[in-house]
Amino acid sequence: MKNIVVIFGGRAVEHEVSVITGIQAVENLNKEKYNVIPVFIDKSGVMFTGECYKDFKNFKNNEFPDSKPCRFGTSYGDHNLYIENKGLFKKDEVVEIDCVVFGVHGSHGEDGALQGIFETNGIPFTGPSVMSSAVGMDKIIMKDVYKSHNIPVVKYTWVFRDRFKVEPNDTLDYVMSKLEFPIYVKPASLGSSIGIKVARTKEELREATEVASSFDRKIIFEEAVINATELNVAVMGRNGDVEVSSVESPLGADEVFSYQQKYMSQDGKSKLIGGKHNFIRDEDTVYKATELAKYSFNVLDVRGNARIDILMDEAGNMFVNEINTLPGSYAFYLWEDVGYTFKSLLDRMIEIAISAKKEEEETNYRFDSDLFHHTGYGSKL
């Protein structure tokens, strides 16, 4: 039986969404195949584990009776989770981990930072590498890469927060010289609709930029696609060997959902579990969207399970809005429509993670040479 860590929470504004995703993974992993170990990262960035983190009721009540601090090693080959036991003479409990299932959304978790720990110690983990995670998280760099590969994206520009602080009017004039209203204003590296506003006037642009700049040091501005249809499609696999989910149209792209609208229904319950979905069945639209999604996934060398968000204008032209390398609830609703259960989806994600690690072990990272004996101390190399 494999020891599987589900890591979730984190030092990010998407902390609560991450907890829901993590708990869904904990509940749906096949207990006949896996010993599931939750690792919760609190809002200050400290890791904890314990059976209490498997029960969502404890998060509602903020009660974690058997919580213990834990940590991962940073030496290559150290695949252990170290669980601290209280008491002067008690040793840490050590559990060897076979794979880590990521459930951390946003900063310090979805952006490559946390992935770096597991690339360093060699524990297989679900989702993309450090590089692909970082590029996928930064909407500016992501769009720059897509443009270089002739992947259609909306017109955009960006600025540093410091520039807006020092020269607010000049910054707004610069943006307006590049783009036509309405303009979407977003933090460069956030999701879950946090900090996103649409501006139709210069004053609204100022207000939206102030909001976005409170969440990120870089702000991206995107020219709206008028009367657009938003299309969501998930892609899963690695090294170009990928499969695609159904295509969904969640809402008109000229509308911005707030965090509450996106995740909470009118009765205050989460939308992340269940709900109705508007799947696209038109063959031409599905073909164009899935081909564009696959190319967008492969260009960033993504592995695992990601969701690509596409905008389609009234003429049928499609633009990649962004890639979400760790979608909420693992985009299960998209995969369920093509036959996956939550258990089989998580199984496949773990299979991809372990196969990626095996491939990485085929790469030679050593080059033995006699350089030291041919170099004097202090000499130039």
Side-chain angles (χ1 to χ4, degrees):
M1 183 174 285
K2 288 183 170 64
N3 289 325
I4 304 295
V5 160
V6 177
I7 192 164
F8 58 96
R11 190 164 62 93
V13 295
E14 297 171 75
H15 178 93
E16 283 76 12
V17 179
S18 173
V19 168
I20 294 172
T21 295
I23 291 296
Q24 287 177 317
V26 168
E27 291 178 345
N28 285 282
L29 279 162
N30 190 336
K31 306 307 186 296
E32 295 181 358
K33 296 172 64 175
Y34 310 121
N35 174 37
V36 181
I37 303 166
V39 170
F40 168 68
I41 307 174
D42 70 10
K43 290 187 176 182
S44 63
V46 180
M47 294 183 184
F48 298 91
T49 190
E51 290 297 305
C52 57
Y53 294 110
K54 293 182 177 180
D55 190 343
F56 188 58
K57 290 180 182 178
N58 291 328
F59 288 93
K60 289 185 173 182
N61 299 327
N62 196 30
E63 295 177 350
F64 307 101
D66 67 336
S67 175
K68 296 180 180 180
C70 63
R71 67 188 187 279
F72 292 95
T74 54
S75 296
Y76 187 76
D78 184 351
H79 292 185
N80 296 320
L81 175 68
Y82 298 90
I83 304 170
E84 297 181 21
N85 285 310
K86 295 179 181 179
L88 184 61
F89 300 106
K90 290 188 176 181
K91 294 183 178 180
D92 289 349
E93 181 183 351
V94 180
V95 182
E96 186 173 2
I97 304 304
D98 294 289
C99 186
V100 174
V101 173
F102 262 74
V104 184
H105 298 293
S107 307
H108 312 112
E110 195 175 349
D111 57 4
L114 195 56
Q115 287 82 352
I117 293 176
F118 303 112
E119 288 200 1
T120 299
N121 63 27
I123 299 177
F125 60 93
T126 62
S129 65
V130 169
M131 183 278 293
S132 299
S133 297
V135 174
M137 189 71 177
D138 190 313
K139 296 179 179 67
I140 298 164
I141 297 175
M142 175 195 70
K143 283 182 165 59
D144 287 346
V145 173
Y146 282 158
K147 278 180 64 178
S148 72
H149 286 268
N150 298 314
I151 292 175
V153 295
V154 298
K155 290 181 65 176
Y156 68 97
T157 190
W158 66 278
V159 298
F160 286 112
R161 173 172 57 196
D162 287 349
R163 176 180 176 182
F164 175 67
K165 285 183 176 180
V166 175
E167 301 175 333
N169 283 321
D170 288 347
T171 300
L172 298 178
D173 289 339
Y174 165 78
V175 173
M176 291 188 296
S177 72
K178 297 290 185 179
L179 306 174
E180 299 287 337
F181 287 116
I183 298 171
Y184 285 97
V185 185
K186 306 176 181 180
S189 298
L190 279 187
S192 299
S193 298
I194 295 171
I196 298 177
K197 289 187 175 295
V198 60
R200 295 176 174 82
T201 66
K202 184 175 182 178
E203 186 55 36
E204 289 181 353
L205 185 63
R206 184 190 308 275
E207 294 172 359
T209 306
E210 288 173 352
V211 170
S213 65
S214 70
F215 291 104
D216 206 318
R217 55 185 283 273
K218 296 193 295 184
I219 302 99
I220 185 170
F221 306 84
E222 299 172 351
E223 188 171 295
V225 178
I226 305 302
N227 297 325
T229 299
E230 183 176 346
L231 305 173
N232 293 344
V233 55
V235 182
M236 184 162 55
R238 69 183 188 92
N239 291 357
D241 182 13
V242 299
E243 57 186 307
V244 293
S245 71
S246 292
V247 180
E248 184 207 21
S249 177
L251 72 153
D254 58 343
E255 181 181 358
V256 179
F257 272 12
S258 67
Y259 178 91
Q260 287 76 15
Q261 288 171 318
K262 191 169 186 179
Y263 294 116
M264 303 297 294
S265 60
Q266 290 183 348
D267 61 4
K269 295 182 179 179
S270 171
K271 289 182 178 179
L272 286 171
I273 302 173
K276 296 181 179 179
H277 302 284
N278 176 32
F279 292 110
I280 303 298
R281 305 303 184 191
D282 177 73
E283 291 184 2
D284 184 58
T285 301
V286 169
Y287 176 78
K288 289 179 179 177
T290 53
E291 288 299 304
L292 182 58
K294 286 190 290 184
Y295 188 37
S296 303
F297 183 95
N298 291 329
V299 157
L300 297 188
D301 193 21
V302 177
R303 67 173 184 248
N305 171 24
R307 191 191 74 232
I308 289 82
D309 299 340
I310 297 168
L311 300 177
M312 182 173 67
D313 66 17
E314 292 179 309
N317 299 308
M318 295 185 184
F319 308 87
V320 173
N321 190 32
E322 64 180 25
I323 186 170
N324 190 325
T325 58
L326 205 170
S329 301
Y330 307 108
F332 168 61
Y333 64 97
L334 293 172
W335 291 110
E336 184 180 31
D337 192 59
V338 294
Y340 272 95
T341 64
F342 217 135
K343 281 185 173 62
S344 62
L345 178 63
L346 292 167
D347 281 346
R348 181 64 185 132
M349 290 166 56
I350 290 170
E351 288 172 4
I352 294 169
I354 292 174
S355 66
K357 176 57 187 171
K358 289 180 178 177
E359 182 191 38
E360 189 263 346
E361 291 173 349
E362 297 175 4
T363 303
N364 185 7
Y365 293 99
R366 289 185 55 167
F367 179 75
D368 296 322
S369 71
D370 199 28
L371 182 61
F372 292 161
H373 290 96
H374 295 279
T375 304
Y377 180 77
S379 64
K380 292 183 179 180
L381 297 178

